[in-house]
Amino acid sequence: MAAADSNEPLFRGLEALGGLLAARDETYSCVVAGGASLAALGVLVRVTGDVDVMAVRDERGEITRAPEAFPSFVTEAIREVGREFNLPADWMNTQMASGLAAGMPPGFAERVTWRQYGGLHVGFVGRRDLIALKLEAASDDPPHGRTDVHLGDLVSLGTAPEEL
């Protein structure tokens, strides 16, 4: 199964979420990292189980770390879409944002690729930042954790030694 095919339910979920927000005359802009960004770049060779929201974009275009919780209108729409598509309750979450206390790296905003799904604007983290995030995640994992997944993602990105 191809990477895009294996992650199709999550991308259908994003499309449905954007459609639902648009139908309710709502919009939300967020930046996604992890497996969903890898899949959007076409390099993911494994299935990802969730959409990791790390940041949000405000009306001025400023990107800041995502809050602990989504606004209530987004949370409600995520739950509805999750039920409709039989996705896990946390199929879209902000858990990753807690590790970004230092903020976004310089030039981060310019490396984000934006896609619009109805009322949902999703920025996918660029390759350079994905490498940094995956390297950090691989080094932070406890023994027997998900280190192999993060290292595998670095290999899938074709990461060169000088990029590390």
Side-chain angles (χ1 to χ4, degrees):
M1 184 180 292
D5 295 340
S6 61
N7 290 295
E8 183 182 348
L10 288 180
F11 288 100
R12 284 193 347 239
L14 291 174
E15 290 172 0
L17 178 60
L20 185 56
L21 290 174
R24 294 177 177 172
D25 202 28
E26 299 278 4
T27 60
Y28 189 71
S29 295
C30 60
V31 178
V32 170
S37 268
L38 287 165
L41 288 174
V43 297
L44 188 67
V45 294
R46 64 174 173 80
V47 175
T48 186
D50 64 353
V51 175
D52 298 308
V53 175
M54 65 177 285
V56 294
R57 182 176 67 175
D58 65 20
E59 304 82 34
R60 298 181 317 266
E62 296 289 321
I63 295 177
T64 57
R65 181 175 60 147
E68 277 187 38
F70 292 109
S72 59
F73 74 93
V74 176
T75 299
E76 181 182 322
I78 288 170
R79 284 187 191 133
E80 287 180 41
V81 169
R83 283 192 300 268
E84 180 180 336
F85 287 89
N86 198 32
L87 295 169
D90 64 346
W91 74 272
M92 189 168 179
N93 63 73
T94 61
Q95 294 169 356
M96 179 182 196
S98 64
L100 300 172
M104 304 301 127
F108 175 82
E110 291 79 32
R111 294 185 296 271
V112 172
T113 300
W114 291 94
R115 293 189 187 158
Q116 185 167 347
Y117 302 91
L120 180 65
H121 304 258
V122 179
F124 294 99
V125 174
R127 183 177 184 283
R128 175 180 167 184
D129 297 300
L130 278 170
I131 290 170
L133 290 165
K134 286 294 179 177
L135 187 59
E136 180 182 14
S139 66
D140 284 348
D141 275 348
H144 310 296
R146 294 177 37 113
T147 300
D148 59 332
V149 170
H150 300 303
L151 292 175
D153 289 344
L154 286 167
V155 170
S156 295
L157 279 163
T159 308
E162 61 272 9
E163 292 178 297
L164 299 175

